[in-house]
Every structure is written in C-alpha cells, then in structure tokens.
Amino acid sequence: HLTFAVSDYEYLVTFAVMLTVAVVIASLTIRIRLQAIHAAEREVRTHSLYRLTRELGGESQWMEAAKTASVIAQEVFGTRVILFFPERPGKISFRSRTSEDLPLPMSEEGIAQWVFDHGKKAGKGMDTLSGATALYLPLKGAQTTLGVLAIIPSESARLESPDQMHLLEIFASQTALALERAQAAITAQEAQVRAEAEQMRSSLLSAVSHDLRTPLATITGAASSLRAQREQLNDATQTELLESIEIEADRLSRLVNNLLEMTRIRSGGVTVRREWHPVEELIGAALIRLERVLGARPVHVEIPDGLMVSGDDVLLEQVVWNILENASKYTPPGSPVWIHARALTDLGDHGGVEIDFRDSGPGFAPGEEQQIWERFYRGKQASTAQASRGAGLGLAICRAIVSAHGGRIEAATHPQGGAVIRLCLPNPEPPPRIPYA
C-alpha cells in the first residue's frame, strides 16, 4: 500500500488496463472540452454574424449601415474599426469615413488605396506593408470593391487566432454585401422616382394636349365668330357663343387650378388652417358654386343641426366641389344626388364627422374603388360626354387634402346603384356647442 512494490505479477496486467482506461478517458475528456470551446466560439461567431446581418438588413442608407457595421465589429473584436470609402470613383479618401475622429496618420491613405485597388488585405501583422498602424481589409461586394475596413489593434483586441481573422474577413464581406444592397435599393428608388416623374410628365402632357386644347379651340372659335360675323348673328346666337366662351373658360380655369393644386400638394405645400365650421354652411357654399355644374339635378341634403367639422374651409370646399363635379360627369343629366352627414363617436379621441356623397349613376367597375384615387385616372363607367374630359386629378386632390386633415376618404358602389364617396374627418378636440333657435 502506498508503494510501487508488486507482490503479484497479475497486478501488472490490472495496472496496464487501468492506465490505458485512464489515458483514454483523459484524452476523450480533453477532446470534449476542446469541442465545447470550439462550439462556444462558433456560437459567438454565428451570433455576431446574425446580429450583423439583422441590423444591417434594417438600414436603408448605406452610410448608416457602414456606421452600424463598424460599431458591431468594435464590440466583437474589442478594438477600433473604421470604414473608408471613395470620395470620387476609384479614389479612397480618409475624409469619407464612419468615425468623426481619425486615429490614423494621413500617410496611410496610400496603404488603404493599395488595398482598395488590389482587393487584398495588408498592414499590421501581414506580410504586405506590415509597418502600418492598422490592418486594412477590402470591402469586396458581389460586383465591385466598395471601400476599405481598417482595424486598429489594441491590447484588448481579439485577433490572435486564425479563426478570429477568418471572422474578421467574413465581417468585411458581409458588410460589403449589405452596403451593396443598400446602394442598389437607393438606385432602385431613384429609378422608381424618375420613372414616376416621367410617367407623370407623360400623363400631364397628354392631359394638357387634349384637355387644354379642346376648351381653347371652343373659345377661339366662338370669339372668332363673334368678331367676324357679329353683325350677321342674332342676339340669341351671340348669347349662346358668349355662354360657351364663359363655360369653356371656367372649365379651363378649373383644369389649370387642379394642375397647380396637385403640383403644390406633391411639393408638400399643403398647409391646413384648422377652424371650426358648420357642415351645413360648408356644403351650402359648395352647392352655390356648383349650380351651373349640377344643372337640374335635385340634391337631397341631410345634415344634423349643429354638426361641426374642424378643418380648412377652403380646402374642404374644394373636396366637396371635386366630388360633386365628378358626380355630374358620371351620371345622367337630371339624376339626383344625395348628401348625408352624421357625427362619429368612434373616430379618434374626440370623434369626428362622416359625410356620404351618393349619385345615381352606374357606380364603379370591379376593382376601380382604389384606382380612382390615382393621379390622371379616369373612370370607366362614363355616362356623359364630359366624363372623358378632365385631367383625372380631382379625386387625387381630394385624397391628399383629406390625408392632410388626418382623415380618410373611401369609395364604394351602393347596393341600390350609384357611386358612394365617404369622407371621414376626425376632430382634434371636442367640438364647440352652438345653440340653435
């Protein structure tokens, strides 16, 4: 006991077996421990790459994505990380970077340029340009090299192992791909804006070429007839020509006003001057202006006494005008129009107002309820010759004005026939109470 003396040679066999088992168990334990360490390192790398991909995926601006990538890399590797980008095509500049301060000498801008040109890492710890202050890696995307990642080693830096260097290269690659996606998204958005502008320009040109030329031709023809044949024309004919000049000039004025209003809305120039107005007065003022447009159509109005709406009376009157003018274009002459308003208690914190405009025309074609709010769109269910005229801006202007008031506007076909335009406007505060006699 407690000695190496062996009294029986059979104990040598036992000792050999136990030693072998102990060595095997120790080696397996060491291997499992190393596997656990490698698994933990892989988990850290996977988590880091997942975090990088997740946070860069939510960035739409490429410079913000670059700053996010540098912050994550600094946390993972425990040292300063700066990204440099070209100030002009093909020329890396230390002035275009993700960090406000520059802890690197300007003389190393040439090293960053070499890395950018050759697509290889260089600098501190590398065989190439090892005397540099930092380690430089290219940000190589799928198409081209976007910039250079500079990592400044410190005492706490975690770059000793090949695995960490491999992780750093993956970081640079993923960052480059994210930046490439962000730039591609920006390019696609700019292309979409240009396409929309071109489409709007083409639509505007089409509207101007047709809808401005028609009233101008009528005005010019009537004015020429009055000037050249005034003495041969009787009073009734002269009055008819003058009325046609007035009607077409009014239509031309409304068309130009809609074009200017849409331009102002598109440029963000809508300013809502909120005041409390009786709905009855708002509708009444619009109906007075629309007497000539509505003609002999009976208009049935149902508005509760004392119903108030908060908004810009000029803009809201324009909404009512455009809706009722549309109704006159797409319904037979003499057909009735219904206007029904009521108070809403479930709209916002202080309720609101709902106004329904219903006509007796053919209603909307299937799926047209959403299309009518687009610029330059004209309805398919035309009932009058006037329905084909106009720039298709009236309802688009209505939606923009209602949105500026924080409300919503909807379209539907009534079960009994006819189109319904529903206008919902919220109250920013409790409406005032006005006593009625």
Side-chain angles (χ1 to χ4, degrees), residues 226 230-242:
L226 287 173
R230 185 172 183 178
E231 297 179 354
Q232 287 81 18
L233 300 175
N234 56 37
D235 292 342
T237 303
Q238 292 185 30
T239 301
E240 183 179 352
L241 289 174
L242 290 172

Side-chain angles (χ1 to χ4, degrees), residues 217-230 241 245:
T218 304
I219 292 172
T220 302
S224 299
S225 298
L226 287 173
R227 182 178 61 83
Q229 305 176 12
R230 185 172 183 178
L241 289 174
I245 291 175

Side-chain angles (χ1 to χ4, degrees), residues 59-368:
E59 295 289 350
S60 58
Q61 301 296 327
W62 70 271
M63 182 53 80
E64 294 300 323
K67 291 180 179 179
T68 300
S70 66
V71 170
I72 296 175
Q74 288 177 175
E75 295 176 0
V76 172
F77 299 104
T79 187
R80 289 288 303 276
V81 176
I82 303 176
L83 277 62
F84 299 103
F85 300 98
E87 195 171 41
R88 62 177 186 270
K91 182 63 176 175
I92 284 289
S93 173
F94 274 10
R95 287 184 292 270
S96 179
R97 59 182 187 268
T98 56
S99 176
E100 295 183 0
D101 58 331
L102 180 63
L104 298 173
M106 290 296 296
S107 59
E108 294 192 6
E109 191 175 52
I111 301 177
Q113 184 65 47
W114 186 92
V115 171
F116 181 79
D117 293 336
H118 293 81
K120 299 178 180 179
K121 59 180 179 290
K124 191 176 182 66
M126 297 290 106
D127 296 334
T128 306
L129 304 171
S130 59
T133 308
L135 170 62
Y136 297 89
L137 288 84
L139 295 172
K140 293 195 295 186
Q143 305 278 336
T144 183
T145 301
L146 287 81
V148 174
L149 182 147
I151 185 163
I152 308 167
S154 61
E155 294 180 358
S156 60
R158 297 183 288 274
L159 296 173
E160 304 84 3
S161 66
D163 288 341
Q164 288 295 94
M165 182 60 68
H166 181 61
L167 178 61
L168 179 59
E169 292 176 351
I170 295 177
F171 251 75
S173 175
Q174 291 297 318
T175 301
L177 292 175
L179 294 179
E180 204 169 44
R181 287 194 301 269
Q183 288 185 344
I186 293 173
T187 303
Q189 186 178 8
E190 291 175 351
Q192 182 180 1
V193 170
R194 287 195 297 270
E196 290 180 354
E198 185 63 30
Q199 182 181 5
M200 184 175 180
R201 192 179 299 112
S202 300
S203 301
L204 183 59
L205 181 62
S206 175
V208 168
S209 63
H210 179 268
D211 297 306
L212 292 183
R213 185 168 52 188
T214 302
L216 283 175
T218 304
I219 292 172
T220 302
S224 299
S225 298
L226 287 173
R227 182 178 61 83
Q229 305 176 12
R230 185 172 183 178
E231 297 179 354
Q232 287 81 18
L233 300 175
N234 56 37
D235 292 342
T237 303
Q238 292 185 30
T239 301
E240 183 179 352
L241 289 174
L242 290 172
E243 286 182 354
S244 65
I245 291 175
E246 185 180 3
I247 291 172
E248 295 300 328
D250 185 56
R251 181 177 291 113
L252 185 62
S253 175
R254 292 200 304 272
L255 178 60
V256 172
N257 181 69
N258 280 343
L259 291 172
L260 293 176
E261 191 71 25
M262 180 53 67
T263 303
R264 187 167 68 92
I265 290 171
R266 290 284 295 173
S267 62
V270 177
T271 303
V272 178
R273 294 183 292 271
R274 282 189 176 274
E275 293 181 359
W276 287 102
H277 302 280
V279 176
E280 186 177 2
E281 292 183 8
L282 197 68
I283 301 295
L287 289 176
I288 292 175
R289 290 179 54 202
L290 283 160
E291 284 183 357
R292 176 180 293 177
V293 176
L294 294 174
R297 286 179 177 79
V299 180
H300 306 282
V301 182
E302 294 182 17
I303 301 175
D305 291 340
L307 185 62
M308 304 287 288
V309 62
S310 174
D312 190 314
D313 58 336
V314 176
L315 295 178
L316 293 180
E317 189 176 329
Q318 181 69 33
V319 172
V320 177
W321 169 284
N322 289 350
I323 293 174
L324 293 179
E325 185 188 29
N326 241 41
S328 69
K329 287 181 179 180
Y330 289 89
T331 56
S335 60
V337 176
W338 293 269
I339 302 174
H340 174 72
R342 69 184 184 93
L344 291 178
T345 58
D346 56 348
L347 184 64
D349 295 333
H350 305 287
V353 173
E354 179 184 273
I355 307 175
D356 286 350
F357 300 87
R358 177 193 163 199
D359 59 40
S360 51
F364 298 107
E368 197 178 25

